[in-house]
Amino acid sequence: MKGRKMTHKWIFALCFLMGQITFAQTVFGKWKTIDDRDGVEKAIIEIYKDDGLLHAKVVKILQEGKKDAVCTKCEGERKNKPILGMKIMEDFEEKKDGVYKGDKLFDPEQAMTFRGRVWLDEDNANRLKVRGYLAFLYRTQTWHRVIEN
């Protein structure tokens, strides 16, 4: 009887830990962007959920000399607005297996909006794949999870 109680405790503990690990593996949180062309760390992006949809905004600019950058190439309401605080993903929906898709992935450097897809790297949940589509062409960046203490 005592052995059976101990087994139940271990099973409960294991299930609890697996739940914590699964919970930690999410696209939501803060991510460091790294330019896939030159390897430069650009910014910290916060991905959050609002009304069941994925959104993202710039919360810190890492690149030297760009901390106070404004979107000079932008048009409309983004014209000459600070990139810090700017929303770069809007209304992405979860499709399946943790993949989010949407039509509003904004690149402030190019002042262009793309269709986008976001998912966790299957080999490392601390890496996020962010893909932007323009017609049949696409570009994928790998972002790195910011671990906060």
Side-chain angles (χ1 to χ4, degrees):
M1 188 68 146
K2 188 175 184 180
R4 193 176 239 171
K5 281 186 178 182
M6 186 60 105
T7 302
H8 283 47
K9 286 181 183 178
W10 278 107
I11 290 172
F12 174 77
L14 184 61
C15 289
F16 176 77
L17 287 173
M18 291 303 288
Q20 294 299 315
I21 291 169
T22 301
F23 180 73
Q25 295 180 348
T26 176
V27 300
F28 299 102
K30 292 183 180 174
W31 299 90
K32 183 188 303 182
T33 67
I34 299 174
D35 192 298
D36 57 315
R37 294 179 180 136
D38 60 16
V40 173
E41 294 180 350
K42 298 276 188 167
I44 303 293
I45 306 298
E46 182 177 11
I47 297 178
Y48 58 97
K49 190 179 275 191
D50 188 19
D51 289 331
L53 300 172
L54 177 147
H55 299 267
K57 64 182 175 182
V58 179
V59 294
K60 186 174 185 180
I61 298 185
L62 302 173
Q63 194 172 4
E64 287 298 317
K66 303 262 181 154
K67 298 194 186 302
D68 296 319
V70 295
C71 196
T72 55
K73 294 180 183 178
C74 292
E75 296 177 359
E77 65 184 34
R78 288 187 172 125
K79 179 80 174 160
N80 294 321
K81 297 291 187 206
I83 293 173
L84 183 63
M86 188 174 284
K87 194 180 259 194
I88 62 166
M89 285 186 221
E90 293 184 63
D91 300 333
F92 276 49
E93 292 183 71
E94 185 172 14
K95 295 301 181 183
K96 64 175 184 167
D97 300 329
V99 175
Y100 290 80
K101 293 182 179 180
D103 292 330
K104 296 177 187 171
L105 172 60
F106 183 71
D107 180 348
E109 284 189 355
Q110 297 181 47
M112 293 179 67
T113 302
F114 303 90
R115 286 181 302 116
R117 181 176 173 202
V118 176
W119 71 98
L120 289 177
D121 185 318
E122 61 188 42
D123 297 325
N124 184 343
N126 288 321
R127 291 189 305 214
L128 184 73
K129 298 294 186 176
V130 179
R131 179 173 290 167
Y133 295 91
L134 185 60
F136 60 89
L137 302 173
Y138 65 87
R139 178 174 161 205
T140 306
Q141 287 188 343
T142 301
W143 296 359
H144 299 265
R145 188 182 303 277
V146 175
I147 310 293
E148 297 180 306
N149 296 331

